[in-house]
């Protein structure tokens, strides 16, 4: 009875509670968790969490202006759930831009960055040397903002920051990472399937609460047993009718369109690049599943391309290679649908297209891009880096015939920029590691053998002193920015001699 009376008493008192006070009580009850979250967010912000590190960092005043550097931590802010971030190259420049300076920003992924080659042999270095010869009375700056393993949405964010620093030209070279780069549709750092989802993901990950949870849950050190390619792989099988294919092309179109629009709004000239990939040298990467023969079909197209090449039927062979690439169930290379998205965005914004794909095919002996211009699936060789720069120059409309005549052949620049066998050896080792990844080795064992043989032969041919340097370098523990450059260690030996 006592229990029943208590219940009736509570019900009566609630019924007699004024309506406006009941509404306020409910609102307070609802807002208390929000207020608690806000307090936690504020506390974590005071501890340094929340927001993002800018891609550009103003160091401080120097003679002529403020020194600005590209901050590697700015690139890492685009990575989550991966335990490791793609790298960007550190550059320094002045703000405001000095008088009589022509400033170029190159934006994109690892192919734009020049990886796996050192910065002095990237396309940006070749372009700067070429333009400096073309304009001897001007100061030329080519600043490479290419970032390893990012899709086009992070490229859009990086480029938007860059526009604050008064570029005279922006070169957009993006599209290979729409599936497996940061904010790619099938990546371990996937941001979503559409433009609004990417923006929402970026906003959510800027919260201090989210960053705090990620810090607790993320591994304390990167996975040293796997390459960044393996770490970034999310869904490893993308069927031809998978929704991600259309989403990747749509995201790329949206981001390229936005990049062009933001450049045009600021009155900055822009070049939009088509993206070359390996065609004749790399079989499809994706796995063959028992219930889906798609990648087997892709491999058939690839082998047919090889046969047609041997028969001298270059045009038919190229069509087979492109079909093999498009059907690859692990699309690490830009597809034809994505290339059309790039061209469509440029056409709709009336932006000039720098056709790297055509330039690479025309420079290839059989009309399909192979080992002479590509180190792997998407990364150009030193010759490919130089060809990129040559194509950038050819697409520029503000170079007179007299200025173009001052530009030397690419081999002159390669020698001037420091091309050497030790850097080639370091690249061979990186490629050997890439092609030793299980999904690469399964379908492209000859690629692994190619680089393994090249590295082994170089080691065998080295004189004893250089051989000791190679072993010291190989056994060294990489720092945050990788191993110390091998060329510097060999140079020290030569100087001592």
């Amino acid at each position: 009875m006592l229990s029943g009376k208590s219940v009736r008493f509570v019900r009566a008192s609630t019924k007699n509670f004024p309506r406006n006070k009941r509404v306020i009580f409910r609102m307070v009850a609802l807002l208390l968790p929000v207020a608690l979250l806000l307090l936690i967010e504020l506390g974590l912000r005071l501890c340094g969490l929340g927001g993002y590190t800018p891609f550009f960092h103003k160091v401080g005043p120097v003679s002529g202006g403020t020194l600005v550097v590209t901050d590697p931590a700015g690139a890492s802010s685009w990575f989550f759930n991966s335990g490791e971030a793609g790298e960007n190259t550190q550059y320094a420049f002045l703000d405001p831009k000095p008088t009589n300076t022509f400033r170029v920003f190159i934006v994109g992924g690892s192919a734009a960055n020049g990886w796996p080659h050192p910065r002095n042999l990237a396309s940006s270095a070749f372009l700067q040397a070429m333009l400096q010869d073309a304009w001897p009375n001007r100061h030329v700056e080519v600043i490479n903002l290419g970032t390893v393993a990012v899709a086009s949405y992070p490229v859009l964010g990086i480029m938007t920051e860059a526009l604050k620093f008064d570029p005279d030209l922006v070169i957009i070279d993006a599209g290979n990472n729409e599936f497996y780069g940061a904010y790619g549709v099938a990546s371990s750092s996937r941001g979503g399937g559409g433009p609004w989802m990417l923006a929402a993901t970026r906003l959510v990950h800027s919260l201090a609460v989210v960053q705090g949870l990620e810090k607790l849950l993320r591994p304390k050190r990167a996975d040293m047993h796997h390459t960044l390619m393996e770490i970034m792989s999310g869904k490893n099988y993308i069927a031809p009718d998978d929704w991600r294919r259309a989403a990747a092309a749509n995201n790329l179109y949206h981001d390229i369109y936005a990049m062009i629009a933001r450049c045009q709004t600021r009155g900055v000239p822009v070049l939009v690049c088509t993206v070359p990939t390996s065609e004749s040298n790399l079989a499809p990467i994706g796995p063959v599943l028992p219930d889906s023969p798609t990648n087997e079909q892709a491999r058939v197209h690839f082998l047919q391309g090889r046969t047609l090449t041997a028969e001298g039927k270059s045009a038919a062979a190229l069509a087979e290679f492109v079909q093999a690439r498009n059907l690859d169930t692990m699309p690490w290379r830009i597809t034809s649908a994505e290339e059309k998205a790039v061209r469509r965005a440029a056409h709709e914004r009336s932006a000039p297209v720098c056709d790297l794909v055509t330039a690479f095919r025309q420079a290839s002996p059989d009309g399909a891009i192979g080992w002479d211009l590509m180190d792997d699936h998407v990364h150009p060789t030193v010759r490919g880096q130089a060809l990129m720069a040559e194509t950038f120059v050819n697409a520029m409309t503000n170079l007179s015939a007299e200025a173009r005549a001052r530009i030397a052949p690419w081999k002159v620049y390669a020698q001037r920029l420091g091309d050497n066998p030790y850097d080639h050896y370091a690249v061979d080792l990186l490629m050997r590691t890439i092609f030793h990844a299980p999904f690469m080795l399964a379908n492209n064992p000859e690629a692994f053998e190619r680089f393994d043989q090249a590295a082994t032969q170089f080691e065998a041919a080295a004189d004893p002193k250089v051989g000791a340097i190679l072993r010291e370098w190989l056994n060294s523990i990489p720092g945050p920015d990788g191993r110390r450059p091998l060329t510097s260690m060999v140079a020290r030996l030569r100087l001592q001699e």
Side-chain angles (χ1 to χ4, degrees), residues 385-432:
Q385 300 291 335
L387 181 57
M388 289 174 68
E390 291 170 345
T391 312
F392 297 156
V393 168
N394 291 336
M396 293 174 63
T397 58
N398 57 339
L399 279 166
S400 65
E402 183 182 0
R404 293 178 188 276
R406 297 191 188 101
I407 298 175
W410 78 272
K411 287 186 178 180
V412 173
Y413 294 108
Q415 183 178 17
R416 187 193 303 178
L417 293 171
D419 190 19
N420 66 84
Y422 304 106
D423 281 331
H424 286 272
Y425 168 70
V427 169
D428 288 339
L429 291 178
L430 283 170
M431 291 300 103
R432 184 172 69 179

Side-chain angles (χ1 to χ4, degrees), residues 10 18 26 47 70 84 108 134 197 245 272 398 401 419 463 465:
V10 171
R26 288 169 182 168
C47 294
T70 55
E84 187 172 343
M197 292 178 68
R245 291 188 180 268
V272 181
N398 57 339
D419 190 19
D463 67 61
K465 289 184 178 179

Side-chain angles (χ1 to χ4, degrees), residues 371 421 424-433 435-436 441 444-462 470:
W371 289 121
H424 286 272
Y425 168 70
V427 169
D428 288 339
L429 291 178
L430 283 170
M431 291 300 103
R432 184 172 69 179
T433 301
F435 284 107
H436 195 259
L441 190 61
N444 288 280
E446 66 281 0
F448 171 78
E449 293 296 331
R450 169 189 172 85
F451 291 105
D452 182 59
Q453 184 178 26
T456 301
Q457 289 178 349
F458 184 84
E459 291 164 357
L470 297 182

